[in-house]
Structures are given as structure tokens and as C-alpha cells.
């Protein structure tokens, strides 16, 4: 993709707010949302000059300054770090970046039949441990089913099992028939549960369902990506389960080696797991493993960009609604053997997530320029490190600009697929709080419907930044364009093609009218959250509301 001339790129800093061509889909009474303004933002953010906006890169720093300049030009208040010069637009985060050393990582299975070794990126994917740069762990194994615990959902996979000082072996995913969002959350906490029971490591292998959703070949594609975690202001790297020294994902040859001499075969376990509600029982295995890996770590920094539009209501202005979108992408792909030297390897991230940032900026513009300001205050958050594990949003939710109890709701914008004239939207997480009805009511006058999650197998609910706010007790949803009116095919083609590849650039046939319409929808949603007499509330007896905000007021469902 051709780079913009520097003069053109610089002029884009001030262009979008000045554009006034009205979208043909504009509803009467709403602010003007211009297709050209959305395009101008994405055009800058997806330019080759920014080299894919990788976390900690110069390209991301340029993008962060672009967003800050837009916030500044709109007259918003900076809400980042405070220093001797005042409050900055930037919340700068330290990250620990860990990569594999020169010696390939290995996993060796030992048992009565001898030893079998597997090398990383073959039939095993060995996890990195920055705390042990020369990892060498040997321990016996215990199969623990899915490795889940939750009384409410009847899950108790560790019952009767002794895993102290051992490495647990789990099935990937969660029982068939379990609600996808609850299941996805529980899957994300398996390591912590294992640590609580005294395990020192965790291995996983696939079920029939999980292997179909995420084949091994797809998992291997990211085998050598660095591991990131945020570092606290005190200099401590975050680790959700520091007691787990070793981890690995296993393909069938390695998994079969673990179960040598076991009373139950992997085939039988998978057959049980493939039934609705199937919960294979755990047992001690007759094998042990040795995991060895070398790693090197370094510290890098990358900023969130944060701004506030103060609310107009004296009683409600100390309550905050967050509109967020991640600014980072995945940078430049490494050269593969046999590739031509001039092959395009820049992952520009036009839709993921230049389009989300463009939407947020246009909503910020409309809010700031409206003569009728929102009643509650609005926080606009352009996060970093989303592609590394939702890290920027996690850091912000734990270190917010205002006390977390004053943040009443979050809408996250991640990869709106602006490739077709959408007629519905998906709000992942809408079933858990009044944000679902708020979204549905806000977009209805546009002729847009709210649709249920069409791809629960992808566990989207725990894979975008809003989940970090949910974990801090804040009602939140992730908004995306829906499957209607050609959306299903567009999503399928994109996820199987341009997604996380250099093809996600400005050469796509992006529907900029859809971009203006998506900005309009999010303006209406954010205004509804900010202007309602009652803030967004968790529904009574909701899993996430009870888990993370047990003392908060609830709404009947």
C-alpha cells in the first residue's frame, strides 16, 4: 500500500472535524456524521508510515499523538497521567515483553514405556515464564476434566483430586451446553483455579468442539509471538497465577503420550465431552512431564490516550460513561522462507481497529460540538495492548482516571466491519445488563435492530476490552455490525482472509456510509447512557453482576 506524503498525513490531523458532508443515512435531529470524516481518520491510522501500530512501536506513538491532537482540538480535558506539568492525554504503561531464547523449548513425557520429546511449535506450544528465564520443571500429571469450578453452575472438577505440586491436564473450553459467555469467563480463569489447588503447571488438549472452533494449525500460527504483561507503577509485572510455573497446549500426538496406560482413553473422554453437559471425570495419570524453555525479557512502554467531556448535570456529572476502542494493531509480519523481498508485510489494521477509533473520534466530535451537552461525563479511551491480551484496558480499569465506582457503563468499539450496509448490530454482553435494552432502543429509530451473538463458539465476550470493565463490576458491551443484509458473508470472508493480515488496509471496498451510520448509532447509544435518569444496571441474578458487583443495585430482567 502506498504511503501518504508527509504533508497529506499531517493535514489529516485537523481535517476530520472540519468535514461537513452529511451522510445520506442521517436521522433528523442527530448531529452530522460524515463518511469522509470517518475515512480520513482510518486513512491516517492505517497508513504504512505507522507500520501496523504495534504496542510499544513508533507507529503506535504517532497514532497516539494523532488521537490526542483530535481530543485537544475538540476542547476535551486530558485524563491521563499527572506530573509537574499538569495532566497529560497519555496514561503511559510499562510492559514486560518476553520472547523465546535461542534454544527451542521442549516438553518430554516420561512413563513406563519410556520417554517421548516434543519441540515447541510442532505438537506442543510451550508457554513463556518471564519469572524463570531458564525454566526446567518436572512433575507428575493429573487429568482434571475441564479444570473448572463454580457452585452456581454445578462445576467441581477438582473434587477428590490431589494436584498439589503437580501439573494438571485440562480439556480446552467448557462443557457443551454451558452458556457461552459464562463458559468463556470460566475458561479464562482455569490457571487461577489450578494455582488455588496447589498445581505448579497446566497443560491442555482439545475437545471435538474446541478443535473445530480453533484447529491446531491456526494455533501454531501464533506460536512464536512474544508474551506481554503490564507492569504496575511499583514495577511489578502482572501475573494472574504466579504459582503456575509451566504451561503448554498439546496436539494429539503429545496428548496421547500423556495418557499412556491411563484407565480412560482420550477418545472416550472426548466422546463424553461432546454430549450436552458432558463432564469427564478426573484421575491421576501414570506419566510425568519435563518442560524446559529459555526466555529473554525486556521492558517497553506504550500509552493509553484518555480524555473527558464533563457532564452538564450538577447531580450526574460525577458519574462517567466510557466509550473505548483499541488503538494498537499487530505491526509487521516477519519474513517467511521463500517470500519475495517486496511482499507487503504491514498489518495496517484499517478495520481492526482504525474503524473503531474513527467511530470514537466522531462520537467525541459530535458530543463536544453539541449545544446540548450530555448529563453524565464521558470518558473517551483509546487503549493500547489489546492485541497482546486486553492489557491496556485491563490496566486502565485497575488504574482509572476517576474512582471505578463512578464509572457506570462502558461501550467498546472493536473492528466494526464496514464492508456492507449493515441493518443490525451485535452488543456482546447485552443479556447481562440494561445496556441491552438501552442499545436496542437507541438504534431503533435508525431502522437498526439489536441481534443476539451469532458466533458464540468464538467466545467474543472475553476477547475485547469491555471484559476488563466487566471484571471491575462495570456493565459493559462490545458493539459490532451484525450478520443481516450481507453481514454474515462479510464476516466470514473477513475472518478467513484480511483479519490480522496485510489485507486489512485501505484497498478494501470499505463502505464509508456504513462508517458514518455506525458513528451515529454509537452517538445515540452513548447519549442514552449519559442522559438517562438511571445509569446502566446489572440484571438481578445475573452471573457477572453477582460475581463482580454483588453489592451494586440491580434491575429486574
Amino acid at each position: 500500500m502506498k504511503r501518504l506524503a508527509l504533508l497529506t498525513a499531517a493535514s489529516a490531523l485537523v481535517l476530520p472535524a472540519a468535514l461537513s458532508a452529511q451522510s445520506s443515512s442521517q436521522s433528523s435531529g442527530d448531529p452530522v456524521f460524515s463518511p469522509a470524516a470517518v475515512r480520513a481518520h482510518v486513512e491516517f491510522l492505517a497508513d504504512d508510515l505507522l507500520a501496523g501500530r504495534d504496542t510499544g512501536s513508533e507507529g503506535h506513538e504517532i497514532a497516539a499523538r494523532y488521537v490526542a491532537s483530535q481530543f485537544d482540538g475538540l476542547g476535551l480535558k486530558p485524563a491521563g497521567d499527572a506530573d509537574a506539568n499538569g495532566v497529560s492525554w497519555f496514561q503511559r504503561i510499562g510492559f514486560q515483553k518476553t520472547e523465546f531464547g535461542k534454544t527451542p523449548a521442549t516438553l518430554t513425557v516420561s512413563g513406563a514405556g519410556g520417554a517421548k520429546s516434543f519441540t515447541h511449535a510442532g505438537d506442543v506450544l510451550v508457554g513463556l515464564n518471564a519469572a524463570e528465564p531458564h525454566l526446567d520443571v518436572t512433575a507428575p500429571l493429573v487429568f482434571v476434566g475441564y479444570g473448572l469450578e463454580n457452585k452456581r453452575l454445578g462445576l467441581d472438577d477438582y473434587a477428590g483430586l490431589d494436584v498439589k505440586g503437580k501439573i494438571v491436564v485440562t480439556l480446552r473450553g467448557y462443557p457443551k451446553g454451558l452458556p457461552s459467555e459464562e463458559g468463556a469467563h470460566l475458561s479464562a480463569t482455569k490457571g487461577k483455579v489450578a494455582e488455588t489447588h496447589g498445581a505448579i503447571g497446566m497443560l491442555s488438549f482439545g475437545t471435538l468442539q474446541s478443535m473445530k472452533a480453533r484447529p491446531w494449525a491456526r494455533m501454531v500460527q501464533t506460536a512464536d509471538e512474544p508474551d506481554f504483561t503490564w507492569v504496575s507503577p511499583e514495577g511489578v509485572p502482572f501475573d494472574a497465577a504466579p504459582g503456575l510455573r509451566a504451561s503448554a497446549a498439546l496436539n494429539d500426538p503429545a496428548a496421547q503420550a500423556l495418557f499412556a496406560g491411563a484407565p480412560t482413553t482420550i477418545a472416550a473422554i472426548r466422546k463424553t465431552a461432546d454430549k450436552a453437559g458432558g463432564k469427564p471425570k478426573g484421575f491421576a495419570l501414570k506419566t510425568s512431564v519435563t518442560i524446559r524453555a529459555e526466555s529473554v525479557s525486556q521492558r517497553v512502554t506504550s500509552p493509553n490516550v484518555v480524555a473527558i467531556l464533563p457532564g452538564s448535570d450538577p447531580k450526574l456529572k460525577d458519574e462517567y460513561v466510557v466509550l473505548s476502542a483499541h488503538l494498537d494493531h499487530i505491526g509487521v509480519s516477519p519474513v517467511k522462507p521463500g517470500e519475495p523481498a517486496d511482499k507487503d508485510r504491514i498489518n495496517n489494521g484499517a478495520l481492526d481497529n482504525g474503524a473503531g477509533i474513527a467511530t470514537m473520534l466522531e462520537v467525541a466530535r459530535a458530543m463536544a460540538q453539541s449545544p446540548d451537552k450530555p448529563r453524565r461525563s464521558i470518558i473517551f479511551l483509546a487503549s493500547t495492548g489489546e492485541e497482546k491480551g486486553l492489557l491496556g484496558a485491563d490496566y486502565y480499569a485497575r488504574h482509572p482516571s476517576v474512582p471505578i465506582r463512578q464509572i457506570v457503563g462502558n461501550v467498546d468499539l472493536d473492528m466494526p466491519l464496514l464492508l456492507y450496509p449493515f441493518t443490525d448490530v451485535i452488543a456482546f454482553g447485552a443479556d447481562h445488563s440494561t445496556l441491552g435494552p438501552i442499545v436496542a432502543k437507541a438504534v431503533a429509530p435508525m431502522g437498526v435492530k439489536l441481534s443476539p451473538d451469532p458466533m458464540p463458539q468464538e467466545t467474543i465476550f472475553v476477547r475485547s476490552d469491555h471484559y476488563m470493565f466487566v471484571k471491575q463490576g462495570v456493565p459493559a458491551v462490545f458493539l459490532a455490525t451484525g450478520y443481516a443484509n450481507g453481514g454474515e458473508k462479510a464476516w466470514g470472508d473477513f475472518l478467513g482472509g484480511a483479519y490480522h493480515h496485510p489485507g486489512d488496509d485501505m484497498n478494501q471496498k470499505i463502505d464509508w456510509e456504513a462508517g458514518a451510520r455506525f458513528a451515529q448509532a454509537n452517538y445515540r447509544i452513548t447519549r442514552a447512557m449519559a442522559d438517562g435518569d438511571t445509569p446502566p444496571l446489572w440484571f438481578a441474578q445475573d452471573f457477572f453482576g453477582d460475581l463482580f458487583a454483588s453489592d451494586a443495585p440491580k434491575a429486574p430482567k
Side-chain angles (χ1 to χ4, degrees):
M1 188 171 69
K2 186 178 180 181
R3 291 189 180 185
L4 294 172
L6 289 177
L7 179 61
T8 306
S11 68
L13 293 170
V14 296
L15 180 61
L19 293 167
S20 61
Q22 183 168 343
S23 167
S24 62
S25 65
Q26 196 68 45
S27 294
S28 176
D30 280 351
V32 170
F33 292 94
S34 161
V38 176
R39 184 187 68 240
H41 289 306
V42 177
E43 194 169 41
F44 183 91
L45 295 170
D47 189 78
D48 279 4
L49 184 68
L50 275 64
R53 307 189 306 278
D54 200 4
T55 301
S57 70
E58 181 181 30
H60 184 273
E61 293 287 344
I62 294 170
R65 282 156 177 74
Y66 175 84
V67 172
S69 74
Q70 294 293 316
F71 287 158
D72 196 9
L74 293 172
L76 304 181
K77 292 176 57 178
D81 297 329
D83 56 28
N85 298 317
V87 179
S88 167
W89 297 105
F90 308 111
Q91 181 186 49
R92 189 156 292 279
I93 306 171
F95 292 98
Q96 180 169 269
K97 177 183 178 180
T98 304
E99 300 177 274
F100 283 102
K102 294 181 179 179
T103 303
T106 59
L107 183 150
T108 301
V109 183
S110 300
K116 293 183 179 180
S117 288
F118 302 89
T119 303
H120 173 72
D123 285 314
V124 297
L125 300 176
V126 177
L128 290 162
N129 184 350
E132 295 191 50
H134 303 287
L135 180 69
D136 190 342
V137 177
T138 300
L141 302 169
V142 180
F143 174 60
V144 293
Y146 282 102
L148 302 176
E149 277 188 337
N150 187 271
K151 290 182 180 180
R152 180 171 179 160
L153 297 174
L155 300 170
D156 191 11
D157 288 344
Y158 283 84
L161 299 176
D162 176 16
V163 303
K164 189 173 182 179
K166 301 173 183 178
I167 293 176
V168 298
V169 181
T170 78
L171 291 162
R172 284 197 290 276
Y174 50 87
K176 206 168 185 178
L178 195 70
S180 65
E181 293 174 349
E182 287 85 341
H185 164 74
L186 293 174
S187 290
T189 61
K190 287 183 183 184
K192 186 65 178 175
V193 173
E195 180 192 49
T196 299
H197 285 276
I200 63 168
M202 185 170 72
L203 311 179
S204 66
F205 67 97
T207 63
L208 298 177
Q209 186 177 9
S210 70
M211 291 188 296
K212 183 178 179 181
R214 198 170 185 217
W216 183 254
R218 179 176 161 192
M219 296 174 65
V220 172
Q221 288 175 359
T222 58
D224 293 323
E225 289 188 358
D227 180 73
F228 278 74
T229 189
W230 55 261
V231 178
S232 73
E234 295 74 31
V236 180
F238 175 74
D239 188 341
L244 288 188
R245 297 175 58 199
S247 64
L250 312 179
N251 196 20
D252 267 16
Q256 295 290 353
L258 296 189
F259 280 77
T264 305
T265 65
I266 287 179
I269 289 170
R270 283 176 171 156
K271 185 176 180 180
T272 299
D274 204 44
K275 298 176 182 178
K279 302 171 189 175
K281 299 295 184 182
F283 49 86
L285 293 169
K286 297 182 179 181
T287 51
S288 63
V289 297
T290 298
I291 300 175
R292 295 188 176 97
E294 291 187 3
S295 61
V296 291
S297 297
Q298 62 177 304
R299 295 289 174 92
V300 298
T301 66
S302 190
N304 289 331
V305 191
V306 197
I308 292 177
L309 177 65
S312 61
D313 189 311
K315 294 182 178 179
L316 298 180
K317 67 180 182 180
D318 290 333
E319 295 181 0
Y320 294 80
V321 170
V322 177
L323 186 65
S324 60
H326 75 88
L327 182 59
D328 64 304
H329 195 51
I330 61 173
V332 181
S333 298
V335 177
K336 295 180 181 179
E339 284 186 342
D342 60 349
K343 179 180 174 62
D344 181 10
R345 296 183 293 109
I346 297 176
N347 299 285
N348 304 88
L351 295 177
D352 184 16
N353 187 36
I357 290 290
T359 302
M360 182 188 69
L361 290 175
E362 282 304 287
V363 173
R365 176 193 59 77
M367 293 278 189
Q369 294 178 353
S370 173
D372 179 23
K373 294 295 187 291
R375 298 173 69 193
R376 291 183 178 83
S377 298
I378 312 293
I379 295 174
F380 297 99
L381 170 65
S383 65
T384 186
E386 191 271 351
E387 300 287 5
K388 310 304 182 187
L390 318 182
L391 296 180
D394 187 28
Y395 186 91
Y396 183 83
R398 295 170 187 263
H399 305 85
S401 308
V402 299
I404 193 67
R405 67 180 181 275
Q406 293 176 229
I407 297 178
V408 300
N410 165 239
V411 172
D412 186 56
L413 309 172
D414 187 357
M415 203 169 76
L417 211 61
L418 309 179
L419 298 174
Y420 60 101
F422 70 92
T423 57
D424 69 327
V425 294
I426 306 159
F428 297 97
D431 294 338
H432 301 292
S433 73
T434 58
L435 278 177
I438 288 171
V439 169
K441 184 177 180 181
V443 300
M446 299 174 58
V448 174
K449 294 181 179 180
L450 175 63
S451 295
D453 181 356
M455 41 185 162
Q457 74 282 0
E458 292 290 343
T459 62
I460 300 296
F461 184 69
V462 302
R463 290 173 54 194
S464 198
D465 283 345
H466 70 290
Y467 178 54
M468 299 296 104
F469 287 94
V470 168
K471 289 168 69 174
Q472 299 303 319
V474 178
V477 294
F478 158 33
L479 202 79
T481 49
Y483 265 29
N485 201 38
E488 182 174 5
K489 183 179 186 305
W491 274 103
D493 291 347
F494 183 81
L495 292 175
Y499 173 65
H500 279 199
H501 283 84
D504 183 13
D505 62 11
M506 293 297 290
N507 291 319
Q508 298 172 98
K509 293 182 179 179
I510 298 175
D511 185 340
W512 299 112
E513 284 280 353
R517 188 167 167 81
F518 192 68
Q520 179 191 0
N522 280 281
Y523 173 84
R524 295 180 66 88
I525 292 166
T526 308
R527 283 299 307 231
M529 294 169 64
D531 291 343
D533 292 335
T534 303
L537 298 174
W538 292 104
F539 285 133
Q541 300 182 329
D542 178 74
F543 178 88
F544 293 99
D546 290 348
L547 182 62
F548 295 119
S550 59
D551 296 332
K554 305 294 196 299
K557 189 168 183 179

